[in-house]
Amino acid sequence: MDQVPGSPKEPQDARDDDGLPGCHRHPDRPTGIRCTRCDRPICPECMVSASVGFQCPECVRGGGGTGHAPQAAAPRTIAGGTIAADPRLITKILLGLNAAVFVAVLATGGDLSPLVNRLDLLGLAADPSRYQLIGVAEGEWYRLLTAMFLHQQIAHFAFNMLSLWWLGPPLEAALGRLRFIALYLLAGLGGSALSYLLAAPGQPSLGASGAIFGLLGATAVLLRRLNYDMKPVLILLGINLAFTFLWPNIAWQAHVGGLVVGAVVAFGMVHAPRDRRTLVHAATCAVVFLAITAVVWVRTLQLVG
């Protein structure tokens, strides 16, 4: 049997004396507006503006009002990332990884820990204990990454982690989680690559400083993009660069490499055209990674050729 307007089975279409149906969520409120997606009557309280007409709350929750998933209409960061409930999650994970490796080093002998010799950045050297050559040039590519999470001295570890906690959350909130972790890893690898290229082959280095300088460079780029006062970050950058070149036993190559890569990646992320963000971000990261790979390849040919 056909359903007719006003039937008890469909009270949302009940009509008033003027012949207007009642809102499907508030049947006692007559309305002449219908949802452009489901065609159900909606009152002014239930109307949600759409690109064309109005939609009911159920359709908005179910499809974003545009035919895309609801996440497509979610607020975005300046770099196009999704706004997360916890903008410090990746920063906390990075802190945890660094802390875990540091505790492992302390637990296995501190400065004499075998983990240091296995995980630090080393171009090419002889290992008397194993009677063989070791280092990145000998195929131990992982050292470029593991050195970023390796610390020996408490002061070095504490300074880097405090810097990460200070610089990380604002960048993570501005870029989004995926872009932030890409920035951090690429900056760290950029610092490792420049150290590998310019430092003496047998000179070991370690620490998260390359990645931290990358965050510092990215912060400067972000503040410039937002037209914020850059004096504080420029002063901080100047102080850190002064320490880099004036303090003994500091791998300045990692600091400079991380700083340059961090600034380049951040520039590509915050200045990408809105309609081509994903493409520009992916291309920026890919080009930087290929440049890092090329530097490592050239240096390896120099050492083993």
Side-chain angles (χ1 to χ4, degrees), residues 131-187:
Y131 302 101
Q132 64 183 38
L133 293 174
I134 60 173
V136 177
E138 284 296 305
E140 295 176 339
W141 311 102
Y142 63 86
R143 290 177 180 268
L144 296 165
L145 179 65
T146 56
M148 296 165 47
F149 298 92
L150 185 64
H151 299 83
Q152 283 180 290
Q153 283 77 36
I154 293 179
H156 189 204
F157 170 77
F159 180 80
N160 279 341
M161 294 306 100
L162 285 174
S163 299
L164 174 57
W165 182 247
W166 184 64
L167 295 169
L171 279 172
E172 184 176 343
L175 301 179
R177 290 173 177 172
L178 181 60
R179 292 165 179 80
F180 175 70
I181 190 61
L183 168 71
Y184 186 90
L185 292 177
L186 286 172

Side-chain angles (χ1 to χ4, degrees), residues 186-199 205 207-218 237-238 240-246 250-265 288 292 295:
L186 286 172
L189 288 173
S192 294
L194 195 62
S195 289
Y196 179 49
L197 176 66
L198 300 180
S205 63
S209 300
I212 299 301
F213 265 77
L215 299 186
L216 192 56
L237 179 58
N240 278 276
L241 287 175
F243 274 109
T244 295
F245 291 102
L246 299 178
I250 290 183
W252 63 267
Q253 301 91 339
H255 293 190
V256 173
L259 178 65
V260 172
V261 170
V264 169
V265 172
V288 170
I292 292 171
V295 168

Side-chain angles (χ1 to χ4, degrees), residues 48-299:
V48 179
S49 296
S51 56
V52 178
F54 299 93
Q55 297 178 6
C56 65
E58 290 84 354
C59 288
V60 172
R61 285 195 298 267
T66 61
H68 303 292
Q71 291 80 3
R76 295 282 175 173
T77 68
I78 188 173
T82 303
I83 296 179
D86 182 4
R88 295 180 173 86
L89 178 63
I90 300 301
T91 301
K92 292 174 183 177
I93 293 174
L94 292 171
L95 285 167
L97 290 174
N98 279 278
V101 176
F102 183 61
V103 170
V105 169
L106 293 180
T108 54
D111 290 345
L112 301 178
S113 171
L115 288 177
V116 174
N117 293 330
R118 294 297 182 94
L119 302 179
D120 63 0
L121 178 61
L122 190 66
L124 182 65
D127 184 358
S129 65
R130 290 187 281 173
Y131 302 101
Q132 64 183 38
L133 293 174
I134 60 173
V136 177
E138 284 296 305
E140 295 176 339
W141 311 102
Y142 63 86
R143 290 177 180 268
L144 296 165
L145 179 65
T146 56
M148 296 165 47
F149 298 92
L150 185 64
H151 299 83
Q152 283 180 290
Q153 283 77 36
I154 293 179
H156 189 204
F157 170 77
F159 180 80
N160 279 341
M161 294 306 100
L162 285 174
S163 299
L164 174 57
W165 182 247
W166 184 64
L167 295 169
L171 279 172
E172 184 176 343
L175 301 179
R177 290 173 177 172
L178 181 60
R179 292 165 179 80
F180 175 70
I181 190 61
L183 168 71
Y184 186 90
L185 292 177
L186 286 172
L189 288 173
S192 294
L194 195 62
S195 289
Y196 179 49
L197 176 66
L198 300 180
Q203 178 62 51
S205 63
L206 49 82
S209 300
I212 299 301
F213 265 77
L215 299 186
L216 192 56
T219 299
V221 171
L222 177 63
L223 293 181
R224 182 74 179 94
R225 171 67 175 80
L226 297 173
N227 293 320
Y228 287 175
D229 182 12
M230 295 187 62
K231 289 181 180 178
V233 72
L234 291 178
I235 292 173
L236 180 62
L237 179 58
I239 293 174
N240 278 276
L241 287 175
F243 274 109
T244 295
F245 291 102
L246 299 178
W247 202 267
N249 301 320
I250 290 183
W252 63 267
Q253 301 91 339
H255 293 190
V256 173
L259 178 65
V260 172
V261 170
V264 169
V265 172
F267 187 89
M269 288 184 174
V270 302
H271 288 280
R274 184 183 298 270
D275 57 340
R276 291 184 292 171
R277 276 175 175 165
T278 301
L279 176 62
V280 173
H281 294 172
T284 299
C285 292
V287 169
V288 170
F289 182 76
L290 288 175
I292 292 171
T293 302
V295 168
V296 173
W297 180 68
V298 168
R299 182 55 170 167

Side-chain angles (χ1 to χ4, degrees), residues 6-8 10-17 20-31 41-43 45-46:
S7 167
E10 199 171 17
Q12 67 270 25
D13 281 340
R15 298 177 181 272
D16 69 347
D17 295 338
L20 294 175
C23 171
H24 79 279
R25 300 176 78 232
H26 306 98
D28 59 327
R29 303 178 187 178
T31 179
I42 48 176
C43 66
E45 182 179 333
C46 299

